[in-house]
Amino acid sequence: PFQVQKKNIRTAALIICTFTYLIIGACIFDALEDAPFTDRKHRLERKFAQFKLDHNMTNESFRQLSDLIMNKTVVRHKWKFYDSFYFSTVVLALIGYGHRQLITSRAKIFCIFYAMLGIPMWLITFQSTGERLNSLLSCILARLKHSLHMKQTKITDGELLVTESLLSIVILIIGACVFSKYEKWSFFDSFYYGFITLTTIGFGDYVVLQNNRDKNFIEHAEYFFFCMAFIFLGLTVLASSMNLLVIRIVAFYSQERLLEKLRQEE
Amino acid sequence: PFQVQKKNIRTAALIICTFTYLIIGACIFDALEDAPFTDRKHRLERKFAQFKLDHNMTNESFRQLSDLIMNKTVVRHKWKFYDSFYFSTVVLALIGYGHRQLITSRAKIFCIFYAMLGIPMWLITFQSTGERLNSLLSCILARLKHSLHMKQTKITDGELLVTESLLSIVILIIGACVFSKYEKWSFFDSFYYGFITLTTIGFGDYVVLQNNRDKNFIEHAEYFFFCMAFIFLGLTVLASSMNLLVIRIVAFYSQERLLEKLRQEE
Ligand SMILES: [K+]
Ligand SMILES: [K+]
């Protein structure tokens, strides 16, 4: 009962922290995006008014046209096989850019079942590759330490975590360089895209492989593979960090429970 | 070494399965979304041609107008505080609808740091609430079994998982009913929205709280709280299922490792 109460208090404290953090975030986002809004809005509205005047359009027909054009984003491109592969990856990785929308009910139903089966599979696979990457990295680091004639060649979880954080940063920077070259985004925007992708937030404001798609795919197939590799490798590195953190937290509790059980049995 | 080889083989098998699954998905998505595409495209193009003719527009000025209107989605609404709260939640929960885009660099930089600190916090909080929900549910189920005079009142992980799956479905269905009422989507689309949200894919093709926002928020504040509660409760139930699965998998390995260590010490 004391143990339970302690857990309840810890959970309550965490919930309060998270809510406070959400509210702080809301305040800052509110303040940050406020200023440029009014300017941009006025500028756009002036341009629209000019357009209506130039082309003798009523407000109603302008609204109709807007709706049609919005709708156009949905049907801008014809899906190719590599688009669909990209889409499947984006679904299972929980990124969900929304750069392609499913319109028919049968596609939505398929997507629900596809995700229901695929997401657990994806998580187990990445948990497994993450664990393998951890042991590979331990091995490499231990050899490195050995070749540097260090006395303590055992690798701690902390050292692994630091290595993986560095690795994530390297992947993000390489990604940003390549994306900014092929997509003609600024370096910062490309970095932002990579971060939003690897955290699996996937806003969809920047999505790779959307410009001159067919031409690019034929001339720069290697770029398609780079983009996929970025997602797979980046998520593997993150999965191995998560693996370390989860093993640390969950395993600690479960080992405690096991030890208690063993003690009771004695 | 034999143990390591076994793990490598298992990981390789999982990777092959996942890739196969991705390719199968790609094939089916490819086939499913193909048919209606051509129709819709032709219909739209006819409408656009008609518009250009009616309003005496050149292709160039039409393209300019399209670009402006596309851009308009970005500045459609002014952010209110509750919008920002909703946005923060969507970032930390890794949903990332993309219904609001960050445009200024300072907002993007803040978002990166906000996510870097907030996401681990969010995951720990949900891991903790999930664990609490598990013990609450075990308690309730055990009492239920007791009151039904069943001999075995101990609750297995499997029973908990089934209960939580049922609970998820109930949440999705309640959500679908309420969303379809307030957003005027079909029941199926509302269910699809809920599923895509709680899996944290978050395509952003359907996003609640975007129609007549100010009017709705003032007249139906309870709907805003319902939407937030849907995300928080839904994710808690999923987190407790994940907690069970993770505990089962990770704890199993770590207990094995601990037992091995104890055996070696003896
Ligand atoms: K997402
Ligand atoms: K998303």
Side-chain angles (χ1 to χ4, degrees):
Chain A
F2 176 70
Q3 201 67 20
V4 169
Q5 213 180 351
K6 224 174 71 182
K7 277 188 190 173
N8 283 340
I9 290 170
R10 202 189 54 192
T11 308
L14 278 169
I15 292 174
I16 291 168
C17 281
T18 306
F19 260 91
T20 315
Y21 193 73
L22 280 175
I23 287 172
I24 293 171
C27 292
I28 300 178
F29 280 119
D30 202 39
L32 280 177
E33 281 295 298
D34 207 19
F37 173 83
T38 332
D39 286 4
R40 282 202 319 274
K41 190 172 176 174
H42 287 319
R43 233 179 305 144
L44 258 180
E45 275 174 359
R46 270 202 303 276
K47 281 188 188 167
F48 284 140
Q50 191 61 44
F51 246 104
K52 285 183 217 167
L53 211 74
D54 287 355
H55 294 285
N56 192 24
M57 255 188 244
T58 60
N59 281 335
E60 176 56 23
S61 67
F62 184 76
R63 204 191 48 72
Q64 278 175 12
L65 182 65
S66 302
D67 286 352
L68 279 181
I69 288 176
M70 294 302 197
N71 204 351
K72 195 183 131 199
T73 48
V74 177
V75 290
R76 213 184 329 180
H77 311 296
K78 190 155 163 38
W79 287 40
K80 293 278 164 62
F81 180 76
Y82 64 86
D83 283 318
S84 298
F85 185 84
Y86 184 42
F87 180 79
S88 301
T89 308
V90 163
V91 170
L92 292 195
L94 303 178
I95 298 172
Y97 293 127
H99 64 298
R100 288 274 171 285
Q101 292 181 14
L102 301 178
I103 293 151
T104 53
S105 291
R106 53 182 188 168
K108 287 176 189 165
I109 290 170
F110 173 69
C111 183
I112 288 177
F113 285 101
Y114 189 70
M116 243 159 56
L117 192 65
I119 291 169
M121 193 169 163
W122 180 275
L123 292 176
I124 291 169
T125 304
F126 273 80
Q127 142 72 19
S128 196
T129 39
E131 194 259 348
R132 291 289 78 205
L133 181 66
N134 276 333
S135 66
L136 180 69
L137 279 181
S138 312
C139 209
I140 292 172
L141 286 181
R143 277 198 196 167
L144 199 71
K145 274 191 173 180
H146 185 75
S147 68
L148 292 172
H149 301 290
M150 286 165 86
K151 271 175 199 161
Q152 184 63 37
T153 60
K154 227 184 154 196
I155 306 299
T156 62
D157 283 359
E159 287 168 336
L160 268 183
L161 264 183
V162 170
T163 315
E164 275 155 18
S165 307
L166 291 177
L167 207 57
S168 313
I169 293 172
V170 169
I171 290 178
L172 280 176
I173 288 175
I174 293 175
C177 292
V178 176
F179 297 139
S180 65
K181 188 188 158 223
Y182 280 90
E183 304 287 340
K184 306 200 170 39
W185 299 333
S186 73
F187 181 82
F188 173 70
D189 284 344
S190 307
F191 185 87
Y192 176 69
Y193 160 79
F195 180 84
I196 294 297
T197 297
L198 293 189
T199 51
T200 75
I201 296 174
F203 283 135
D205 44 358
Y206 298 90
V207 183
V208 293
L209 299 169
Q210 298 305 302
N211 286 331
N212 296 320
R213 284 160 47 263
D214 290 336
K215 191 170 153 274
N216 265 337
F217 186 69
I218 294 161
E219 285 177 22
H220 306 291
E222 78 282 1
Y223 179 55
F224 175 79
F225 292 106
F226 176 84
C227 292
M228 301 312 288
F230 177 79
I231 293 179
F232 286 104
L233 284 182
L235 290 181
T236 302
V237 173
L238 283 182
S240 46
S241 311
M242 288 302 297
N243 179 286
L244 282 177
L245 289 173
V246 165
I247 278 181
R248 271 188 174 183
I249 297 171
V250 178
F252 177 75
Y253 286 113
S254 90
Q255 286 191 357
E256 252 185 357
R257 223 177 298 150
L258 182 68
L259 283 176
E260 213 166 274
K261 217 188 274 173
L262 290 175
R263 241 176 267 136
Q264 283 171 356
E265 278 169 17
E266 271 167 18
Chain B
F2 176 69
Q3 200 68 19
V4 169
Q5 213 181 351
K6 223 173 74 182
K7 278 186 188 173
N8 283 341
I9 290 170
R10 202 190 54 193
T11 307
L14 278 169
I15 291 173
I16 291 168
C17 280
T18 306
F19 260 90
T20 315
Y21 194 73
L22 280 174
I23 287 172
I24 293 171
C27 293
I28 299 178
F29 280 119
D30 203 40
L32 280 177
E33 281 294 300
D34 207 20
F37 173 83
T38 332
D39 286 4
R40 281 202 320 274
K41 190 171 176 175
H42 287 319
R43 233 179 303 143
L44 258 179
E45 273 173 0
R46 270 202 303 276
K47 281 187 188 168
F48 284 140
Q50 191 60 43
F51 245 105
K52 286 183 217 165
L53 210 74
D54 287 355
H55 295 285
N56 191 25
M57 254 188 246
T58 60
N59 280 335
E60 175 56 22
S61 68
F62 184 77
R63 203 193 48 72
Q64 277 176 12
L65 183 65
S66 303
D67 287 351
L68 279 181
I69 288 176
M70 294 303 198
N71 204 352
K72 196 182 133 201
T73 47
V74 177
V75 290
R76 213 183 328 179
H77 311 296
K78 189 156 164 36
W79 288 39
K80 293 278 164 61
F81 180 76
Y82 64 87
D83 282 318
S84 298
F85 185 84
Y86 184 41
F87 180 78
S88 303
T89 308
V90 163
V91 170
L92 293 196
L94 303 178
I95 298 173
Y97 293 127
H99 63 299
R100 289 274 172 284
Q101 293 182 11
L102 301 177
I103 292 151
T104 54
S105 291
R106 53 182 188 168
K108 286 175 190 165
I109 291 170
F110 174 70
C111 183
I112 289 177
F113 285 101
Y114 189 71
M116 243 159 57
L117 192 66
I119 291 170
M121 193 169 162
W122 180 276
L123 291 176
I124 291 169
T125 305
F126 273 79
Q127 141 73 18
S128 196
T129 40
E131 193 259 349
R132 291 290 76 206
L133 181 66
N134 275 333
S135 66
L136 180 70
L137 278 181
S138 311
C139 210
I140 293 172
L141 285 180
R143 278 197 195 167
L144 199 72
K145 274 191 173 178
H146 185 76
S147 68
L148 291 171
H149 302 289
M150 284 165 85
K151 270 175 198 162
Q152 184 64 35
T153 59
K154 229 185 152 196
I155 306 299
T156 63
D157 283 359
E159 286 168 337
L160 268 183
L161 263 181
V162 171
T163 315
E164 276 155 16
S165 307
L166 291 177
L167 208 57
S168 313
I169 294 171
V170 169
I171 290 177
L172 280 175
I173 289 175
I174 293 175
C177 292
V178 176
F179 298 139
S180 64
K181 188 188 158 224
Y182 279 90
E183 305 286 341
K184 307 201 170 38
W185 299 333
S186 73
F187 181 82
F188 173 69
D189 285 344
S190 307
F191 185 88
Y192 177 68
Y193 161 78
F195 180 84
I196 294 296
T197 297
L198 293 190
T199 50
T200 76
I201 296 173
F203 283 135
D205 45 357
Y206 298 91
V207 183
V208 292
L209 299 168
Q210 299 304 303
N211 286 330
N212 295 320
R213 284 163 46 265
D214 291 336
K215 190 168 153 277
N216 265 338
F217 185 68
I218 295 162
E219 285 176 21
H220 306 291
E222 78 282 0
Y223 179 55
F224 175 79
F225 292 106
F226 176 83
C227 291
M228 301 311 287
F230 177 79
I231 293 179
F232 286 105
L233 284 182
L235 289 181
T236 303
V237 172
L238 284 182
S240 45
S241 313
M242 288 301 298
N243 179 286
L244 282 177
L245 289 173
V246 166
I247 278 183
R248 271 191 174 181
I249 296 171
V250 179
F252 176 75
Y253 285 112
S254 89
Q255 286 190 358
E256 252 185 357
R257 223 176 299 151
L258 183 69
L259 283 176
E260 213 166 273
K261 217 188 275 174
L262 290 175
R263 241 175 266 135
Q264 283 171 356
E265 278 168 15
E266 271 167 19

